[in-house]
């Protein structure tokens, strides 16, 4: 059931660009700056159906060729299910828009019809690809249409809210791109993908714009990984995707807990942490003053025996947090290798003792992770030794244009006749839109493709009706979504996702920053 204190009637732009309705030989020229609230007055006479779709447009030279579809279920559950139109909300919207536009433009009659005819439920149908599916750019991801001809104007009224799908899709996509890079290096330097789901930890909670951004972005990351400090994302996965515990973390130091001891007592600060967390992994930021001195003379000398007493399931994770990420990390791992020794794995790469690991959480993005792991392997070190934390580059340094997300009208019915429509700007062909009713299928070569103009076969259509007339028809679990998003060579391991014990046994862990 949608949130009771949320007024759906106010959840749209007060103005935006209209959609140009075009067919072969015919066009409908509309002012390019139109008011959403007044669109019901601007469509052609006798319109009974508006059908629109959402896609991540293909972009030449883009870094990303495919996307992870995620987040629609949350928006539907949170904002659209059940009776979202009430008399109180109609009156609230009427007053607001009167003040906002300084004239009477609000369609009070239309909204009251929704209330009276449909008990406040939205007469809308949404079909979408299953959440977690990997879809090549340029394909339809979901479609929206009215189910009652009196409410054709509703389809694009909800565009503003639905276009916000760009955020969880983009985060889930970037997170999965991290996973590809990590999998490549882990496989090449260790011969397996063990621990992959714990290799990238979400550090982004404090760096996003709101609690909801943290929740959506944090949950999107959890489609691909299990390490996180963004509690809001874990709670969203629990409440909206049926996962009792989607992400894990470990006790960890921050700079305040180290420097509060004073510069001359860094060793005592470290020792205090070891005393407090005798079992289970623990992460200690070690660059408050001199990361190299801390690794060589404190961890590798004064506290060496204390570190060696720890086990694989209670390993110490040392965290650098400044300097050039690659150079600092390589120097740190060399020092630790000299102090604690190392072994060679089956691929011939060096691995620190199982009670000791490193996490790099500063300066991390897709490019730097690839560069760091490449330099480590060049120095003979396995990717097993390191984990990564990522904040703003995972949850915040992105926007709707990162994946060129767009919502466009492609089909209308007027006077009982259907018409395929599209957008074809002469100044930018890349912004051209699709025509007609759309379906998504897997062709004979095994590739996904969008079929336009209503030519698709229903039995081949991969789009699933997820919402109709105010009701959620599909309820995906995070486990299902994670399976949909697996890398091709990545085998599912449900125990890894569901039991903290498995997290500890794998010892490939992450930390709080």
């Amino acid at each position: 059931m949608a949130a009771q204190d949320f007024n759906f009637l106010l959840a749209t732009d007060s103005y935006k660009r209209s959609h140009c309705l075009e067919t072969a030989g015919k066009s409908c020229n509309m002012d390019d700056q139109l008011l959403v609230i007044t669109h019901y007055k601007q469509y052609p006479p006798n319109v009974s159906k508006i059908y629109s779709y959402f896609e991540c447009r293909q972009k030449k030279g883009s870094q990303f060729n495919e996307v992870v579809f995620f987040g629609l279920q949350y928006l539907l559950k949170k904002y659209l299910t059940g009776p979202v139109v009430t008399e109180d909300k109609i009156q609230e919207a009427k007053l607001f828009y009167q003040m906002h536009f300084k004239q009477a433009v609000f369609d009070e009659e239309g909204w009251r019809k929704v209330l009276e005819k449909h008990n406040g439920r939205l007469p809308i149908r949404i079909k979408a690809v299953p959440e977690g599916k990997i879809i090549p750019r340029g394909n339809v991801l979901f479609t929206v249409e009215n189910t009652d001809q009196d409410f054709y104007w509703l389809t694009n009224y909800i565009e503003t809210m639905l276009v916000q799908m760009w955020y969880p899709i983009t985060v889930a996509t970037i997170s999965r791109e991290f996973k590809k890079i990590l999998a490549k290096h882990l496989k090449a330097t260790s011969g397996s993908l063990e621990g992959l789901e714990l290799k990238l930890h979400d550090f982004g909670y404090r760096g996003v714009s709101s609690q909801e951004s943290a929740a959506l972005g944090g949950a999107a990351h959890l489609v691909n990984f299990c390490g996180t400090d963004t509690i809001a994302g874990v709670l969203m996965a629990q409440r909206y995707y049926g996962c009792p515990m989607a992400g894990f973390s470990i006790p960890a130091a921050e700079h305040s807990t180290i420097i509060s001891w004073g510069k001359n007592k860094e060793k005592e600060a470290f020792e205090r942490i070891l005393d407090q967390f005798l079992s289970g992994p623990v992460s200690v930021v070690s660059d408050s003053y001199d990361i190299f001195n801390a690794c060589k003379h404190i961890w590798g000398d004064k506290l060496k025996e204390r570190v060696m007493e720890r086990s694989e399931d209670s390993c110490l994770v040392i965290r650098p947090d400044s300097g050039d990420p690659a150079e600092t990390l390589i120097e740190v791992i060399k020092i630790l290798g000299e102090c604690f020794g190392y072994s060679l794995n089956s691929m011939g790469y060096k691995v620190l003792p199982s009670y000791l690991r490193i996490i790099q959480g500063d300066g991390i993005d897709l490019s730097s992770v690839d560069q760091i792991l490449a330099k480590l392997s060049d120095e003979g070190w396995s990717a097993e030794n390191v984990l990564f934390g990522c904040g703003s580059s995972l949850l915040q340094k992105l926007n709707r244009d990162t994946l060129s997300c767009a919502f466009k009208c492609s089909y209308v019915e007027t006077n009982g006749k259907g018409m395929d429509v599209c957008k074809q700007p002469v100044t930018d062909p890349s912004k051209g839109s699709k025509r007609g009713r759309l379906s998504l299928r897997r062709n004979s070569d095994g590739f996904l493709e969008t079929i336009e103009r209503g030519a698709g076969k229903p039995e081949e259509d991969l789009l699933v009706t997820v919402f109709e007339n105010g009701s959620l028809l599909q309820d995906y679990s995070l486990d299902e979504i994670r399976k949909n998003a697996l890398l091709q060579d990545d085998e599912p391991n449900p125990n890894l996702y569901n039991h903290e014990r498995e997290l500890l046994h794998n010892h490939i862990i992450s930390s709080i920053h």
Side-chain angles (χ1 to χ4, degrees):
M1 189 70 68
Q4 295 301 306
D5 59 349
F6 174 77
N7 192 340
F8 170 75
L9 284 65
L10 299 174
T12 192
D13 297 310
S14 58
Y15 84 93
K16 67 172 183 176
R17 296 188 182 276
S18 67
H19 303 291
C20 183
L21 308 180
E22 297 184 352
T23 62
K26 297 181 180 180
S27 67
C28 177
N29 295 318
M30 297 182 182
D31 188 340
D32 203 35
Q33 299 289 333
L34 297 179
L35 302 177
V36 169
I37 310 307
T38 61
H39 275 181
Y40 74 100
K41 292 183 176 182
Q42 299 173 21
Y43 284 110
N46 301 316
V47 171
S48 59
K49 172 81 71 175
I50 297 291
Y51 174 100
S52 297
Y53 73 96
F54 179 95
E55 70 172 325
C56 296
R57 292 183 179 125
Q58 286 180 309
K59 198 80 170 181
K60 188 175 182 181
S62 174
Q63 183 179 8
F64 310 106
N65 296 317
E66 58 188 16
V67 303
V68 182
F69 186 70
F70 176 75
L72 180 60
Q73 182 167 296
Y74 162 73
L75 290 176
L76 297 178
K77 285 186 176 183
K78 177 78 171 181
Y79 298 116
L80 299 183
T81 57
V84 298
V85 181
T86 66
E87 184 60 37
D88 287 346
K89 290 177 180 179
I90 291 173
Q91 293 305 317
E92 180 186 18
K94 179 182 178 181
L95 177 61
F96 176 88
Y97 290 129
Q98 175 67 43
M99 296 172 65
H100 185 53
F101 288 107
K102 298 182 179 180
Q103 57 178 304
V105 297
F106 178 59
D107 184 16
E108 182 177 1
E109 179 183 355
W111 286 110
R112 188 159 287 109
K113 280 185 179 179
V114 176
L115 176 58
E116 295 172 352
K117 193 174 181 180
H118 295 281
N119 297 315
R121 294 173 171 265
L122 299 178
I124 288 291
R125 178 183 301 116
I126 299 176
K127 297 181 69 175
V129 299
E131 298 215 13
K133 285 292 187 182
I134 312 305
I135 308 295
R137 293 268 294 271
N139 282 296
V140 59
L141 295 175
F142 64 83
T143 63
V144 185
E145 62 185 307
N146 57 296
T147 58
D148 184 326
Q149 65 180 7
D150 290 339
F151 304 102
Y152 59 88
W153 46 270
L154 266 176
T155 299
N156 275 40
Y157 195 94
I158 63 175
E159 172 183 3
T160 302
M161 177 181 294
L162 293 179
V163 168
Q164 291 178 339
M165 277 291 296
W166 74 263
Y167 180 67
I169 288 173
T170 305
V171 175
T173 298
I174 290 174
S175 174
R176 192 170 187 272
E177 292 297 317
F178 271 110
K179 196 172 186 180
K180 290 179 185 177
I181 293 169
L182 289 160
K184 175 184 70 174
H185 289 282
L186 188 59
K187 184 76 171 179
T189 61
S190 75
S192 83
L193 295 180
E194 182 181 356
L196 176 61
E197 288 82 3
L198 296 162
K199 280 291 184 182
L200 184 70
H201 205 81
D202 175 6
F203 280 1
Y205 201 163
R206 67 190 60 184
V208 293
S209 59
S210 68
Q211 289 292 324
E212 187 171 34
S213 295
L216 262 175
H221 171 68
L222 291 171
V223 169
N224 304 293
F225 292 93
C226 295
T228 185
D229 285 342
T230 303
I231 291 175
V234 178
L235 290 173
M236 177 171 284
Q238 188 178 84
R239 293 170 181 170
Y240 293 93
Y241 289 93
C243 186
M245 184 47 61
F248 304 96
S249 190
I250 62 171
E254 67 176 20
H255 287 106
S256 73
T257 66
I258 303 299
I259 64 175
S260 61
W261 288 74
K263 188 172 183 179
N264 295 327
K265 290 191 174 182
E266 190 175 26
K267 179 253 185 185
E268 286 78 3
F270 290 171
E271 193 166 22
R272 169 75 169 176
I273 294 169
L274 297 182
D275 289 339
Q276 292 298 309
F277 303 98
L278 295 173
S279 62
V282 63
S283 171
V284 184
V285 63
S286 303
D287 79 322
S288 296
Y289 309 107
D290 184 339
I291 181 67
F292 308 121
N293 177 74
C295 290
K296 185 171 185 178
H297 297 295
I298 301 179
W299 293 123
D301 184 9
K302 296 175 183 178
L303 296 177
K304 182 175 180 178
E305 289 186 8
R306 294 293 309 276
V307 174
M308 294 177 67
E309 289 172 357
R310 301 184 73 89
S311 67
E312 177 179 348
D313 293 340
S314 300
C315 70
L316 169 69
V317 184
I318 294 174
R319 179 162 71 92
D321 195 46
S322 54
D324 178 270
E327 292 179 5
T328 301
L329 188 59
I330 288 173
E331 184 62 24
V332 164
I333 201 170
K334 284 181 178 178
I335 292 172
L336 295 176
E338 291 171 359
C339 294
F340 293 94
Y342 57 83
S343 59
L344 297 181
N345 64 19
S346 62
M347 304 296 287
Y349 286 88
K350 292 179 281 188
V351 183
L352 290 171
S354 62
Y355 53 76
L356 188 61
R357 290 292 180 264
I358 307 168
I359 183 167
Q360 177 67 39
D362 181 60
I364 295 305
D365 56 28
L366 289 170
S367 176
S368 66
V369 164
D370 198 26
Q371 292 171 5
I372 289 168
L373 290 174
K375 289 181 179 180
L376 277 176
S377 66
D378 288 345
E379 295 286 335
W381 291 97
S382 171
E384 295 168 86
N385 295 287
V386 298
L387 307 99
F388 296 93
C390 189
S392 58
S393 291
L394 178 65
L395 300 189
Q396 189 68 21
K397 290 183 180 179
L398 40 94
N399 56 49
R400 186 161 68 94
D401 292 331
T402 303
L403 294 177
S404 304
C405 297
F407 184 101
K408 297 299 172 187
C409 176
S410 61
Y411 174 83
V412 299
E413 289 181 4
T414 307
N415 292 317
K417 294 183 178 180
M419 180 171 67
D420 296 343
V421 300
C422 70
K423 171 183 174 181
Q424 291 180 316
V426 67
T427 54
D428 189 353
S430 72
K431 287 193 173 183
S433 61
K434 293 175 170 49
R435 293 175 181 265
R437 288 185 168 276
L438 308 176
S439 61
L440 182 70
R441 74 169 186 180
R442 192 171 296 279
N443 64 25
S444 58
D445 295 322
F447 298 108
L448 292 175
E449 61 180 6
T450 298
I451 306 299
E452 302 183 37
R453 300 177 183 271
K457 298 178 181 179
E459 64 272 19
E460 294 181 339
D461 192 6
L462 299 178
L463 299 179
V464 178
T465 302
V466 295
F467 179 89
E468 189 167 310
N469 299 332
S471 297
L472 187 76
L473 301 184
Q474 293 287 331
D475 197 343
Y476 298 103
S477 69
L478 186 62
D479 284 344
E480 291 176 290
I481 294 167
R482 281 171 159 169
K483 289 175 183 176
N484 287 339
L486 284 171
L487 301 182
Q488 287 186 353
D489 295 330
D490 186 7
E491 295 298 324
N493 184 355
N495 289 329
L496 182 62
Y497 293 125
N498 294 325
H499 301 291
E500 187 172 6
R501 186 161 56 95
E502 286 293 316
L503 176 80
L504 302 179
H505 285 172
N506 279 294
H507 78 75
I508 305 293
I509 36 74
S510 301
S511 79
I512 198 164
H513 63 303

